Amino acid sequence: SRPNLALVGATGAVGTVMRDIVSNRADIWGEIRLVASPRSAGKVLKVRGEDVVVQALVPEVFDGIDIAIFDVPDEVSAEWVPVAAERGAIAIDKSGTFRMHADVPLVVPEVNPLDARQRPRNIISTPNCTTLSMMAAMGALHAEYGLQELVVASYQAVSGAGVAGSARLYDEVEALAGDRNVGQVAGDVRQILDKKLPADSPFPAPIAFNVVPWAGSLKEDGWASEELKLRNESRKILGIPELKVSATCVRVPVVTTHSLAVHARFERPVTVADAHRVLTAAPTVVLVDDPANGVWPTPLEVVGTDPTYVGRVRQAIDFPNTLDLFVCGDNLRKGAALNAAEIAELVAAEL
Ligand code: 2RA
């Protein structure tokens, strides 16, 4: 019989994309149960064209469920993922809670699908959206040339901070619209926004007309959590514990789709032509790289699609065996819901 799937966190930014993805991919599921906080229980949402009533997150909601995908805050996952697993479901968790646990695999299906089979706790983690936005491309290049070092700058979309993140960008743009003098005097945008909008922005500075060199929470020595996730998760997914990674994560006024500027050093020599060949052959990567004709990926051309897009592939002039490239991936699709759905399909194929 077909496996039953629960989507926990069905009403959030990723949950909404998740419902769209499971409705439009090959339908392998029996029941699809929608689960959310008691506050959202009772809402009616569409999945596979049918109305489904959202159920409250209680232990019994996992009865009869084979696979449960969680997209909820870290502390909710910490409490509820083990409950689902103990009740017999295989839990696929999008939060940061279990990603680095040695007994929980961290899976990107096109890079390390076999890791999904080693799941002693019945928990599989799916990476942070920033890591995922580049992983299909970097995994393909690593397999051929042996990755040794990554230096990354991210350009992260506001929807990475959830529904509230997108709402804040739209509100700020609206508050500033029509004023052709803003952004020309230090601090002017902040002053206008302070007057017009609530102070509870998910971002530590104005995000409209700006770039903010901060994503996530403060960790030791001035690092942002997003930067450390990029490092630690890349090492685990690629299976390179010694991989050297340094990242700067930046929030930009883009609604959805994270971009990354990647400087990658390999063990073996690699030409641009080699890299183009490898990236073209990778099934979930799209190469968009014709600078003479102004062709490279941008978030606005990528949003709402599934692949990882790569362009601006160059051989670093002063660094041997090193490529510079630009990657874009929809942070709510491959960066979140799609990767979780692909892991669920991988696991369902074993059941
Ligand atoms: C962000 N990567 O973009 C985060 C979401 N987990 O804020």
Side-chain angles (χ1 to χ4, degrees):
S1 69
R2 292 169 156 224
N4 296 327
L5 177 71
L7 303 180
V8 186
T11 56
V14 174
T16 304
V17 175
M18 195 75 222
R19 283 185 284 115
D20 173 59
I21 284 174
V22 296
S23 300
N24 288 303
R25 289 174 73 82
D27 187 10
I28 59 164
W29 306 108
E31 184 190 350
I32 298 183
R33 201 171 292 174
L34 302 182
V35 182
S37 65
R39 190 166 33 89
S40 299
K43 271 192 187 167
V44 178
L45 297 172
K46 282 243 185 290
V47 187
R48 298 184 291 192
E50 286 164 19
D51 286 340
V52 177
V53 180
V54 176
Q55 300 188 34
L57 183 53
V58 293
E60 298 71 35
V61 85
F62 297 106
D63 291 348
I65 291 295
D66 299 289
I67 299 177
I69 298 178
F70 282 77
D71 189 82
V72 293
D74 287 1
E75 62 282 5
V76 180
S77 276
E79 183 179 348
W80 287 96
V81 163
V83 172
E86 276 153 26
R87 290 196 163 237
I90 295 161
I92 299 169
D93 183 41
K94 180 76 191 77
S95 83
T97 305
F98 302 99
R99 285 185 194 134
M100 299 313 298
H101 289 203
D103 52 3
V104 174
L106 180 63
V107 176
V108 180
E110 58 269 74
V111 179
N112 60 340
L114 295 179
D115 288 1
R117 299 196 171 190
Q118 309 299 323
R119 41 169 200 265
R121 296 176 65 184
N122 264 349
I123 303 172
I124 300 172
S125 273
T126 175
N128 192 30
C129 47
T130 318
T131 315
L132 269 171
S133 299
M134 67 170 184
M135 220 12 95
M138 298 323 295
L141 290 170
H142 168 59
E144 291 290 324
Y145 304 106
L147 193 59
Q148 291 190 322
E149 286 177 24
L150 278 177
V151 181
V152 179
S154 75
Y155 305 75
Q156 293 181 222
V158 292
S159 62
V163 174
S166 305
R168 182 70 190 192
L169 176 58
Y170 288 125
D171 287 345
E172 290 190 6
V173 168
E174 200 176 303
L176 301 167
D179 184 342
R180 301 184 73 109
N181 293 311
V182 293
Q184 301 186 40
V185 176
D188 64 344
V189 165
R190 194 187 285 266
Q191 272 177 11
I192 297 169
L193 297 178
D194 282 352
K195 277 193 210 115
K196 292 195 173 180
L197 293 181
D200 63 345
S201 172
F203 308 113
I207 188 66
F209 300 174
N210 208 8
V211 295
V212 180
W214 191 258
S217 56
L218 180 63
K219 297 294 175 195
E220 61 278 13
D221 297 327
W223 290 98
S225 55
E226 288 283 306
E227 293 158 352
L228 300 182
K229 286 177 186 179
L230 204 83
R231 173 174 181 264
N232 298 334
E233 295 175 12
S234 296
R235 290 176 158 197
K236 182 165 175 176
I237 297 158
L238 295 168
I240 321 172
E242 305 300 316
L243 183 66
K244 292 184 181 177
V245 185
S246 205
T248 301
C249 288
V250 179
R251 191 76 68 181
V252 295
V254 165
V255 177
T256 294
T257 293
H258 287 353
S259 305
L260 298 138
V262 182
H263 175 89
R265 188 167 69 81
F266 298 90
E267 217 174 296
R268 295 181 280 286
V270 47
T271 65
V272 171
D274 289 336
H276 276 182
R277 184 178 46 74
V278 168
L279 293 167
T280 304
T284 61
V285 176
V286 175
L287 182 71
V288 188
D289 198 9
D290 181 10
N293 291 303
V295 173
W296 1 255
T298 70
L300 288 180
E301 305 304 323
V302 164
V303 59
T305 68
D306 289 345
T308 299
Y309 294 76
V310 185
R312 303 294 329 277
V313 182
R314 288 149 291 154
Q315 238 175 324
I317 297 169
D318 296 318
F319 302 85
N321 301 359
T322 303
L323 296 174
D324 282 285
L325 43 94
F326 191 73
V327 188
C328 291
D330 184 316
N331 53 301
L332 301 180
R333 294 184 76 87
K334 185 60 187 175
L338 176 63
N339 199 66
E342 288 169 340
I343 297 173
E345 290 168 4
L346 199 65
V347 172
E350 290 173 31
L351 297 179

